[in-house]
Amino acid sequence: MGSLTICDHPLIQHKLTYIRDLNTNTKDFRELVDEVATLMAYEITRDVPLADTQVQTPVAAAQGRIISGRMLGLIPILRAGLGMVDGILKLLPAAKVGHIGLYRDPQTLKPVEYYVKLPTDVQERLLIVIDPMLATGGTANAAIELLKRRHCTQIKLMCLIASPEGVAAVNAAHPDVDIFVAAVDERLNEHGYIVPGLGDAGDRLFGTK
């Protein structure tokens, strides 16, 4: 079973509170999401493998460690996932970025695919699928399944807020995928929104509602 990591660092929880607040304007909301994504990137890369190396300081030779192994890839789910990408790239500037376009049908709550653009070497990378909200789990599961159909084998999922139902759905469909969130909330309501959640992340990021 994939692990669930709740990133409970005080800075993350502080900023998440203001992200939730309906009085937070679009500019501040966008900046806060960016900052939390940067902080969460520390946690999601905690087990990235290192290799020993040697460098020359101004004084003497020094032993050090550098990241080795698989290269990284960021896969935001459009459109809300875009709001977290720049924050992660501040720490992982060499990561390639692919995009998966999915929207949730308001009647069936099922994901509908409309756009896919991935790095040519996507199968060789450790992939971080990014979506601020893990609600029903349908969109995340569809994105992960799409990547697996393209022979991607090392995938993690990063979200700001999850519902218990969404976590359970991803664990059931993709038990090999580790999930990283800033909070797991109470439940889903009858419209498939996380309670208490933060509303529609895409609308709040882009000021469209």
Side-chain angles (χ1 to χ4, degrees):
M1 182 67 68
S3 66
L4 171 66
T5 299
I6 299 175
C7 303
D8 58 357
H9 190 285
L11 288 177
I12 293 176
Q13 296 305 311
H14 171 84
K15 294 175 187 295
L16 181 61
T17 299
Y18 288 101
I19 289 172
R20 291 184 187 274
D21 190 341
L22 63 82
N23 295 308
T24 299
N25 62 39
T26 299
K27 173 182 177 292
D28 292 341
F29 185 92
R30 192 178 295 141
E31 291 175 352
L32 287 162
V33 169
D34 180 88
E35 291 166 1
V36 169
T38 300
L39 294 168
M40 289 184 68
Y42 280 101
E43 191 65 45
I44 203 167
T45 56
R46 181 178 294 276
D47 61 354
V48 170
L50 296 172
D52 294 329
T53 190
Q54 187 178 71
V55 296
Q56 183 69 37
T57 79
V59 179
Q63 296 296 318
R65 305 175 78 193
I66 59 173
I67 292 174
S68 67
R70 289 197 172 196
M71 300 172 289
L72 296 168
L74 308 182
I75 312 292
I77 299 175
L78 302 178
R79 64 184 165 142
L82 292 174
M84 299 176 70
V85 171
D86 285 347
I88 302 170
L89 286 174
K90 290 174 184 175
L91 291 185
L92 307 171
K96 289 187 177 179
V97 181
H99 299 86
I100 294 177
L102 297 166
Y103 68 89
R104 189 170 61 169
D105 185 286
Q107 302 301 320
T108 66
L109 302 184
K110 300 295 184 182
V112 180
E113 178 185 318
Y114 66 90
Y115 182 79
V116 178
K117 184 72 172 181
L118 301 172
T120 56
D121 60 352
V122 67
Q123 298 90 351
E124 302 172 17
R125 293 179 176 267
L126 166 58
L127 302 178
I128 303 173
V129 176
I130 306 163
D131 197 0
M133 310 301 286
L134 177 57
T136 65
T139 300
N141 278 340
I144 294 167
E145 179 60 33
L146 183 152
L147 292 171
K148 287 184 174 180
R149 290 201 305 267
R150 288 161 172 79
H151 309 292
C152 301
T153 59
Q154 196 166 354
I155 303 170
K156 297 184 179 186
L157 176 63
M158 176 192 281
C159 307
L160 290 180
I161 298 174
S163 71
E165 297 92 331
V167 171
V170 173
N171 280 338
H174 302 288
D176 56 325
V177 173
D178 295 333
I179 304 171
F180 293 78
V181 300
V184 176
D185 279 7
E186 296 171 11
R187 59 182 174 86
L188 293 177
N189 66 16
E190 63 275 15
H191 303 294
Y193 278 85
I194 300 173
V195 179
L198 54 78
D200 187 297
D203 284 340
R204 296 192 65 188
L205 277 165
F206 300 109
T208 51
K209 192 172 183 179

